[in-house]
Amino acid sequence: MSASVLFDVPGPKARARNRIYGILSTVAVLGLVAFVVYRLDDTGQFQGELWNIYEYSSTQRQILDGLRTTVETFAIAAALSVVLGVVLTAARLSDHKPVRWIGVVAVEAFRAMPLLIMIFLLWAAVFTSDPMWALVIGLTLYNGSVQSEIFRSGINALPKGQGEAAYALGLRKTQVMTSVLVPQAVRTMLPSIISQLVVTLKDTSLGYIIVYEELLFVGKRFAEQRPPVNGVYAFIPMVIVFGSIYILLCMALSSVATWVERRTKRSRKGTPPPMAAPGAAVMAGPGPRAPGATGAPGTDGPNTG
């Protein structure tokens, strides 16, 4: 039995106790799920009339249109937020104090303002006729400031000797950043970057506030237009269906992040050079002899024996 540096390996009693805790936790979770299902069924949320709307091709087409709009909005906002994060990081790490202060003020202001207020303000004041850009710019400003802090912390977490050695070789600051520090920091920052992109994807649902026809707005319209069945409205089926779609989107993005992280780890390790078999140098025999050499093969000088 191998011992761990961080904690003691549990003994037989501890393993039995942990097994009991695991069983009790599983039973509690299953009981909670059963209670929720019972309550939904008791309130009539599983009536067929509430769910049959999702069987029609027109409904499915509208869901696909909302899904496409959500993915397009996320793609634009994600790309712009990463670019803005890089720009704000460069400003915060600048050697010029005015530029550094502008970066600090921008990051703190965009992070402090609630995202919903920012989106609504952009829509009401600037993009009244085009709510998509109000949503995209709001997501870009907020998530770009968060990405900037991720980039800055990743670069500052590297050993100071990395940058000092690069400066000692005569590299300029731009070359040190692009060639030495950033490539190393990206591998460390990647999980946090992807996590913030998942947040960006979920925040696209705020577009329904400004009447932008993304996925959640489509679901809300279905629930509002559907007449109640036996006094029950179709909001719970809408939440289950569209919530599942959001969960699948986030899981797909997380799986892509896991794949990218594995690829970077694999490329970091590289391929080791081929090792020669033991005795290969001896079996290969002596190399070419210099002209005039009088020593025996395998000796460094003349044969004096």
Side-chain angles (χ1 to χ4, degrees):
M1 182 179 298
S2 60
S4 174
V5 178
L6 299 179
F7 59 92
D8 295 332
V9 177
K13 291 184 179 180
R15 288 198 299 269
R17 186 169 56 251
N18 293 338
R19 193 177 299 113
I20 293 174
Y21 291 159
I23 294 174
L24 293 177
S25 301
T26 303
V27 171
V29 171
L30 293 177
L32 179 61
V33 172
F35 175 75
V36 172
V37 172
Y38 167 75
R39 289 295 301 166
L40 292 177
D41 182 65
D42 187 54
T43 55
Q45 297 295 338
F46 293 144
Q47 300 179 71
E49 293 82 358
L50 296 177
W51 296 82
N52 57 13
I53 187 176
Y54 299 105
E55 299 177 357
Y56 299 112
S57 59
S58 60
T59 301
Q60 297 171 3
R61 186 163 51 250
Q62 293 181 56
I63 293 176
L64 290 178
D65 291 340
L67 178 61
R68 185 182 66 252
T69 303
T70 294
V71 173
E72 290 176 355
T73 304
F74 161 71
I76 298 173
L80 293 179
S81 65
V82 171
V83 173
L84 179 61
V86 172
V87 173
L88 292 177
T89 302
R92 294 206 62 176
L93 297 178
S94 175
D95 293 333
H96 305 284
K97 192 173 182 179
V99 177
R100 190 164 61 249
W101 273 106
I102 292 175
V104 171
V105 171
V107 169
E108 296 302 327
F110 294 151
R111 288 174 60 198
M113 181 177 294
L115 179 57
L116 184 58
I117 295 178
M118 189 184 303
I119 293 173
F120 189 82
L121 181 62
L122 288 170
W123 172 67
V126 184
F127 301 100
T128 306
S129 59
D130 195 354
M132 185 198 78
W133 285 108
L135 179 61
V136 167
I137 294 178
L139 292 173
T140 299
L141 295 178
Y142 176 77
N143 292 282
S145 61
V146 177
Q147 296 283 19
S148 172
E149 289 298 284
I150 294 174
F151 297 156
R152 187 177 67 89
S153 61
I155 293 174
N156 290 335
L158 294 174
K160 295 186 180 298
Q162 300 282 339
E164 293 173 354
Y167 286 123
L169 294 175
L171 298 180
R172 296 189 300 271
K173 184 173 182 178
T174 303
Q175 295 174 320
V176 173
M177 285 291 180
T178 57
S179 302
V180 179
L181 298 182
V182 173
Q184 298 182 72
V186 164
R187 295 191 178 103
T188 305
M189 298 183 298
L190 189 59
S192 300
I193 294 173
I194 300 298
S195 298
Q196 190 60 36
L197 291 180
V198 172
V199 174
T200 306
L201 175 59
K202 293 188 294 184
D203 285 344
T204 56
S205 60
L206 296 176
Y208 86 95
I209 296 293
I210 57 175
V211 202
Y212 179 56
E213 296 188 2
E214 43 79 43
L215 189 60
L216 183 60
F217 180 84
V218 174
K220 182 173 178 289
R221 185 173 56 192
F222 284 157
E224 290 176 346
Q225 294 178 353
R226 186 71 173 170
V229 178
N230 298 326
V232 179
Y233 289 89
F235 284 101
I236 296 299
M238 182 273 293
V239 171
I240 294 175
V241 172
F242 286 85
S244 301
I245 296 175
Y246 276 106
I247 291 173
L248 292 176
L249 288 175
C250 294
M251 290 177 62
L253 184 59
S254 299
S255 63
V256 172
T258 303
W259 178 79
V260 172
E261 188 175 2
R262 289 178 180 174
R263 292 282 298 179
T264 55
K265 286 182 179 180
R266 191 179 308 168
S267 63
R268 192 189 319 176
K269 293 178 181 178
T271 304
M275 298 181 62
V282 178
M283 297 296 296
R289 301 179 64 187
T294 57
T299 62
D300 293 335
N303 190 359
T304 57

